[in-house]
Amino acid sequence: VQLVESGGGLVQTGGSLRLSCTTSGFTVDDYVMAWFRQAPGKEREGVSCINSYDGAPYCADSVRGRFTTSTDSAKNMVYLQMNSLKPEDTAVYYCVRGPPGAAVPGDFDFWGQGTQVTVSS
């Protein structure tokens, strides 16, 4: 199983980026695929708004309406479209795989190496 992120970089406030996750060794449709991020000194947080056990979407409130996760079954790829980026979105972004029902970080069994996103003010 491999997850390899790409597409990170430096962008100005208000800009957009699309991260890609190239996968191998499994079929994305058979798993929950999501994105998390971690900024220096902060805990990992979800940015894919997955419904958790209580039905509430698990993700950072600050990304709702700005970030969109999608998959391409034919290419076995996962994407994160990020719009209206803010300096507080600066973090390392990780593509993750989990079993059906996965929502919080501990549920996911495979993590990519991460890609750095830096938003300048």
Side-chain angles (χ1 to χ4, degrees):
V1 173
Q2 281 196 317
L3 306 171
V4 180
E5 303 93 338
S6 60
L10 176 64
V11 63
Q12 292 186 334
T13 296
S16 298
L17 276 178
R18 189 178 81 154
L19 305 183
S20 299
C21 177
T22 302
T23 74
S24 61
F26 68 101
T27 301
V28 296
D29 287 346
D30 293 338
Y31 295 87
V32 174
M33 302 301 299
W35 293 85
F36 285 78
R37 70 183 181 187
Q38 188 166 24
K42 296 186 177 181
E43 293 187 354
R44 288 178 177 177
E45 60 181 0
V47 295
S48 288
C49 298
I50 301 169
N51 286 334
S52 60
Y53 309 115
D54 60 3
Y58 175 83
C59 64
D61 289 340
S62 63
V63 307
R64 297 182 189 186
R66 298 190 298 123
F67 288 13
T68 304
T69 297
S70 61
T71 58
D72 184 327
S73 300
K75 297 181 179 179
N76 223 36
M77 297 275 294
V78 187
Y79 304 98
L80 179 67
Q81 179 66 44
M82 305 184 292
N83 299 325
S84 302
L85 284 162
K86 307 174 184 180
E88 51 265 43
D89 294 319
T90 295
V92 177
Y93 284 72
Y94 298 90
C95 176
V96 301
R97 187 198 83 167
V104 299
D107 294 339
F108 293 88
D109 54 357
F110 279 95
W111 293 65
Q113 84 288 351
T115 186
Q116 177 71 45
V117 172
T118 303
V119 184
S120 62
S121 57

